[in-house]
Amino acid sequence: MVTLARKTLLALGLPAALFALWWFASAGSTSFYFPPLSAITAEFAETWTPERWRDDVLPSVARLAAGYTASAAAGIALGVLIGRTRWLFHLTEPVLEFARAVPPPVLVPVIMLFAGIGDGMKTAVIVSGCVWPILLNTVAGVRSVEPVQLDTAAAFRLGRNRTLLAVVLPGASPRIVTGMRQALAIGVILMVVSEMFAAQSGLGFAIVQFQRSYAIPAMWSGILLLGCLGAALAALFTVFDRAVLHWHHRQRAEEV
Amino acid sequence: MLEVAGIGKDYRVDGGVFTAVDSLSFHVAEGELVCVVGPSGCGKTTLLRMCAGLLAPTRGTARVDGRDVDGPPEGTAVVFQEYGRSLFPWMRVGANVELPLKRLGLTRAERRDRVAEALRLVDLEGKEQVWPWQLSGGMQQRVAIARAVAFRPRLLLMDEPFAAVDAQTRADLEDLIRDLWSRLGITVVFITHDIDESVYLGQRVLVLSSPPTTLRAEIHIDLGPDRDQLDTRSAPAFAKLRAAVWREIQAAKRGAA
Amino acid sequence: MRRTLALASMSALALALAATTAACGGEEDGAGGADAVSVGVIPIVDVAPIYLGIEQGFFAARDIELELTAAQGGAAIVPGVAAGEFDFGFSNITSLLLAQSSGLPIEIVANGVASTGVAGEDFGAVMVPADSPIQTAADLADATVAVNTLNNIGDTTVRESVRIDGGDPTGIGFTEIAFPDMPAQLSAGNVDAAWVVEPFKSLIEAEGGRPVAWNYVDAAPDLTVAAYFATSQLVQEDPDLVQRFADAIAESLQYATDNPEAVRDILGTYTDISPEIRAALTLPAFPAAVNKDSVERLAELGEADGIFENPPDVDALLP
């Protein structure tokens, strides 16, 4: 329990220090675009009413969840297929490296033509960025599964499905989870980017609209909220990581 | 049980073809414990992989239980040299041993019992909940052996399983194999580079040549069914047999006919 | 590891703070005593006069060396002027009213561009595809209409068009799409209508689209659409420069009014509009002065739609 308290204190320590630094450094600010932190926090409760949470924040998070889940499903499925099939890997590798290098914001007008301007488009934008780290890390993870383990599975005739579920996926899971963590960070950014085009609601949309209508303290409050959202999602991911890879973490810690 | 007829393996290399195994023919009867030795690089592992259906031969055949091997044969278990990497670190010991049993159509209770029995046989009773990486090297290899034993295979192929283990542990594991073999009546093909080990364990020792590999010699080991690390190894008959194998291997290394 | 993390965060924060405070530019003296002046503009039809003015030497004659920077919209220009990156900027009136009502200390210094005031022949309109069931402004009720910026001149004037035609604007779904993307989105059917200005209006017409509302005309007679502005600080500290700039602009506006072909030609130098479209598009009006009544009307429309947090002070904004 002591270590948990200590860890929490350490985790919150730097943010608290930065917050205090910001507070005092900006206290007397008259700059339009950098108001005092006290003004921003005062705006916070006024801006982020329950209606805004329901109409802006929740839809954004929901789209992020949908896009991220779709990316994970597609990325892992395709990654396993490509990683396990050698000719397919060699065929697709250059194309994949090309595709992942294209920044999603550049693709947004194109995506808008295919996917319209509603939730589908925003989710597609998120997928267009999130799928790559998951796909490529899955391919790498699958290709690096211990050959002796694959031989064991083959020798015991475990079969394709059981080999996939009991050997390949768990063996590749550390790399896959790494890809998923990268994708989460990208997803939060794209959630905002997708709402800068043809949006009518959303957290990113609200922040941009505040900026456009010169409601600067509200804009900053939105940015703070976005940061907290990102941090909360990262914390949630750590829980997921510990659950899925608990054996991996213990092994690294305890290995004889 | 295992019929190998003219089996061979070629590899394509820069500038041509490398014949690892030229032609091997031998048989292993049901319930036998046969050891295979040879100089380094003589293709012992290649031979085992072809018998296990993990590698396709270039020519010749292997037949297990009367059926051609064109993929891992039914009822065959393999124990690899790299024990640490053949166990799955995301499963505890019990789950590792249980995994191959899952497609045998047994009930959960039957599987659990087989796992417990196998672990008891390898002297790891009660260790189902331990993680593989919490065990020493010798114990990990025992888990791999338990996994093979629980499977109740007809044929057990072992690829230099004790090469990476220290001498004392190796002695214990050798006795374990003989014990399991005599109790369960499995057919065992044991690949090793250790001459002493091959003589101590086997009923027959097959000596391979250098590449392109053929069968150099087949030596019957008539040391009797009860063997003991101390007494058997110090018996004069042991020394004679050991010397015979050693001479064949030296000749093989020299490339003599 | 933790110490490195702390150091990294501090450095990042310090860098960020330094970068933003370094954005304070300001005028410098150009060669030969002329004032080097930076102006933020949007590369559209509306700013053709200032380009003509440079070409004709109206600015040089007043010892002004202009440097034009193209930005995507008022959203980038207003902050740029406020931060001192630009001396002057070009922006639509509603954006300026918004900025002023939020406390930004800016003032209009010269007129920019106005509606022709003639329905059927203006440089901005609400367009629909050829096969659209929408025939008049009132039909836009409950439609999805694309505008380039929400809560700005586009949606407030479009709502007025709908009201004047007897429709109910409260159900219109305005959605923000950049002008260049609008023709494709309209064709694809992702929006029912799009408020556009030239050259996009001509581009959509070339694809068969037709106008259903002339919102600039409906909002107010002879609507001043956009103007050049500066910070109040500049107006107070260097009234001479501001006056010279305003005079040069006025001369440029007059020249543009008198020489419409020159306007079409100069468009080719700072935009990618094809010669055919340049010849076909409807030019806006370039009156010399800001229409104060129309500015007040835009303020009223904005307040009716609730886009201002505080009521704007039109007098403080106007020159």
Side-chain angles (χ1 to χ4, degrees):
Chain A
M1 262 339 259
V2 177
T3 38
L4 183 64
R6 187 164 169 272
K7 272 189 193 169
T8 318
L9 222 63
L10 269 168
L12 295 176
L14 186 60
L18 288 172
F19 193 89
L21 181 69
W22 184 359
W23 187 285
F24 291 113
S26 68
S29 168
T30 51
S31 158
F32 188 79
Y33 283 95
F34 294 98
L37 185 52
S38 47
I40 297 172
T41 49
E43 270 297 307
F44 206 97
E46 262 186 59
T47 312
W48 301 103
T49 60
E51 288 77 36
R52 265 214 191 270
W53 279 89
R54 185 195 63 210
D55 295 335
D56 283 323
V57 181
L58 241 53
S60 284
V61 175
R63 285 191 288 260
L64 174 60
Y68 186 76
T69 311
S71 299
I76 293 174
L78 276 173
V80 168
L81 182 64
I82 293 175
R84 293 281 276 161
T85 318
R86 186 173 304 167
W87 65 264
L88 194 59
F89 170 74
H90 289 299
L91 184 72
T92 56
E93 196 193 9
V95 176
L96 291 177
E97 289 295 339
F98 174 89
R100 73 107 69 127
V102 180
V106 168
L107 294 176
V108 171
V110 179
I111 295 177
M112 279 207 284
L113 288 177
F114 291 116
I117 57 174
D119 285 341
M121 177 277 259
K122 294 170 186 54
T123 310
V125 171
I126 293 171
V127 171
S128 76
C130 287
V131 73
W132 302 114
I134 299 179
L135 174 61
L136 293 167
N137 272 284
T138 303
V139 170
V142 165
R143 281 170 58 82
S144 65
V145 171
E146 195 58 70
V148 182
Q149 288 166 358
L150 293 172
D151 280 343
T152 303
F156 280 110
R157 294 171 55 124
L158 291 184
R160 287 184 66 99
N161 289 343
R162 190 161 284 123
T163 303
L164 182 67
L165 291 173
V167 181
V168 175
L169 280 176
S173 60
R175 288 294 299 252
I176 296 178
V177 169
T178 299
M180 289 176 75
R181 183 181 294 112
Q182 291 172 5
L184 186 61
I186 292 173
V188 175
I189 295 172
L190 289 179
M191 178 190 85
V192 174
V193 168
S194 74
E195 293 171 10
M196 292 169 74
F197 304 84
Q200 291 179 307
S201 74
L203 177 50
F205 170 78
I207 295 174
V208 170
Q209 287 308 315
F210 289 145
Q211 187 214 21
R212 299 271 175 82
S213 46
Y214 308 104
I216 302 302
M219 176 194 84
W220 279 107
S221 77
I223 292 173
L224 274 177
L225 181 59
L226 192 61
C228 291
L229 177 69
L233 288 173
L236 222 68
F237 189 88
T238 304
V239 173
F240 166 77
D241 182 320
R242 296 241 173 89
V244 169
L245 294 182
H246 71 277
W247 57 269
H248 184 66
H249 295 307
R250 273 190 76 178
Q251 179 184 15
R252 299 258 293 277
E254 292 184 24
E255 197 139 33
V256 176
Chain B
M1 183 70 225
L2 171 64
E3 292 278 337
V4 173
I7 211 166
K9 183 69 186 172
D10 295 337
Y11 290 104
R12 215 179 301 265
V13 295
D14 287 337
V17 169
F18 169 66
T19 302
V21 178
D22 184 21
S23 174
L24 285 174
S25 303
F26 60 90
H27 72 276
V28 178
E30 197 171 333
E32 269 199 286
L33 202 178
V34 170
C35 293
V36 179
V37 289
S40 289
C42 71
K44 307 190 286 289
T45 297
T46 307
L47 169 65
L48 182 133
R49 289 177 71 84
M50 288 194 284
C51 293
L54 295 173
L55 185 63
T58 311
R59 56 186 157 271
T61 56
R63 290 165 70 83
V64 170
D65 229 355
R67 281 191 294 261
D68 278 344
V69 172
D70 59 3
E74 192 60 71
T76 306
V78 184
V79 174
F80 295 96
Q81 182 183 128
E82 310 91 337
Y83 43 81
R85 305 209 306 264
S86 83
L87 298 179
F88 304 124
W90 48 87
M91 295 179 181
R92 296 175 201 258
V93 162
N96 264 285
V97 174
E98 191 191 3
L99 185 61
L101 306 179
K102 287 205 169 159
R103 63 172 191 91
L104 295 182
L106 306 167
T107 66
R108 188 181 304 176
E110 285 170 337
R111 289 201 300 265
R112 206 182 45 218
D113 289 340
R114 278 214 207 179
V115 169
E117 182 200 350
L119 288 175
R120 194 174 44 81
L121 283 171
V122 302
D123 211 16
L124 287 176
E125 188 164 5
K127 294 246 189 291
E128 282 90 335
Q129 294 308 313
V130 176
W131 293 95
W133 29 269
Q134 290 175 321
L135 298 173
S136 69
M139 293 165 95
Q140 287 180 6
Q141 194 60 301
R142 284 180 205 248
V143 173
I145 294 169
R147 180 170 62 186
V149 162
F151 189 65
R152 299 203 186 150
R154 306 258 298 137
L155 174 64
L156 176 59
L157 301 170
M158 307 187 80
D159 184 7
E160 305 195 46
F162 309 143
V165 162
D166 66 273
Q168 283 199 319
T169 313
R170 192 180 315 147
D172 291 334
L173 291 173
E174 286 168 359
D175 285 335
L176 174 65
I177 291 300
R178 277 206 59 97
D179 181 46
L180 289 173
W181 166 70
S182 65
R183 278 217 234 185
L184 304 174
I186 320 173
T187 311
V188 181
V189 176
F190 192 100
I191 313 270
T192 181
H193 64 267
D194 185 337
I195 301 169
D196 289 36
E197 184 172 70
S198 71
V199 173
Y200 180 76
L201 283 180
Q203 295 173 305
R204 268 190 299 145
V205 174
L206 303 175
V207 184
L208 303 183
S209 71
S210 294
T213 305
T214 56
L215 185 61
R216 265 200 75 87
E218 201 178 313
I219 298 176
H220 283 265
I221 309 292
D222 45 5
L223 292 172
D226 298 312
R227 304 195 190 172
D228 168 81
Q229 288 285 349
L230 202 53
D231 297 333
T232 312
R233 283 183 189 252
S234 47
F238 183 90
K240 241 196 253 167
L241 290 162
R242 191 195 166 285
V245 176
W246 190 85
R247 271 195 293 271
E248 287 295 342
I249 295 201
Q250 291 306 103
K253 281 199 246 184
R254 279 194 319 268
Chain C
M1 175 63 200
R2 285 200 203 92
R3 193 188 304 164
T4 335
L5 194 61
L7 266 172
S9 315
M10 286 303 206
S11 319
L13 188 65
L15 270 169
L17 285 170
T20 45
T21 47
C24 295
E27 1 162 341
E28 313 128 19
D29 276 334
D35 290 311
V37 168
S38 63
V39 185
V41 295
I42 315 170
I44 52 177
V45 179
D46 312 16
V47 301
I50 201 172
Y51 280 94
L52 279 174
I54 297 175
E55 186 194 61
Q56 297 297 317
F58 299 151
F59 292 94
R62 291 175 176 80
D63 285 333
I64 294 180
E65 205 179 293
L66 266 193
E67 188 198 318
L68 299 181
T69 307
Q72 224 204 0
I77 298 178
V78 174
V81 171
E85 196 184 326
F86 305 124
D87 299 304
F88 301 97
F90 178 85
S91 170
N92 76 66
I93 298 295
T94 309
S95 275
L96 293 174
L97 287 167
L98 261 172
Q100 198 274 343
S101 71
S102 305
L104 263 176
I106 51 169
E107 291 176 31
I108 294 176
V109 299
N111 193 31
V113 68
S115 160
T116 60
V118 179
E121 263 179 60
D122 201 2
F123 76 106
V126 179
M127 307 294 288
V128 295
D131 55 0
S132 169
I134 298 173
Q135 300 295 330
T136 69
D139 295 336
L140 289 171
D142 300 322
T144 316
V145 180
V147 293
N148 79 322
T149 309
L150 287 175
N151 298 321
N152 211 287
I153 196 169
D155 46 354
T156 52
T157 55
V158 169
R159 285 198 195 95
E160 180 66 357
S161 286
V162 175
R163 268 185 228 115
I164 288 178
D165 199 35
D168 178 9
T170 50
I172 302 178
F174 286 105
T175 189
E176 197 173 289
I177 297 179
F179 281 134
D181 295 327
M182 285 195 195
Q185 294 302 320
L186 196 61
S187 308
N190 291 329
V191 290
D192 300 317
W195 165 64
V196 286
V197 294
E198 292 289 11
F200 307 102
K201 174 169 154 292
S202 294
L203 283 170
I204 294 177
E205 271 169 341
E207 285 172 20
R210 56 185 160 80
V212 295
W214 301 89
N215 47 317
Y216 279 164
V217 177
D218 293 333
D222 301 318
L223 178 76
T224 297
V225 170
Y228 294 92
F229 66 98
T231 56
S232 304
Q233 185 187 11
L234 182 66
V235 172
Q236 275 152 30
E237 284 178 7
D238 200 341
D240 176 61
L241 173 67
V242 173
Q243 189 59 54
R244 281 184 282 138
F245 179 80
D247 290 341
I249 292 283
E251 194 175 352
S252 306
L253 290 169
Q254 187 60 54
Y255 185 84
T257 309
D258 295 335
N259 300 283
E261 286 315 304
V263 173
R264 292 184 197 276
D265 287 339
I266 200 129
L267 271 180
T269 65
Y270 68 91
T271 69
D272 287 329
I273 306 174
S274 70
E276 299 80 43
I277 300 286
R278 268 190 277 133
L281 54 78
T282 312
L283 291 178
F286 299 112
V290 174
N291 180 342
K292 179 171 177 195
D293 289 334
S294 76
V295 173
E296 284 187 354
R297 186 77 190 114
L298 282 178
E300 280 164 22
L301 289 177
E303 275 194 84
D305 288 342
I307 68 175
F308 303 122
E309 196 145 320
N310 309 304
D313 184 348
V314 174
D315 291 317
L317 184 63
L318 291 170

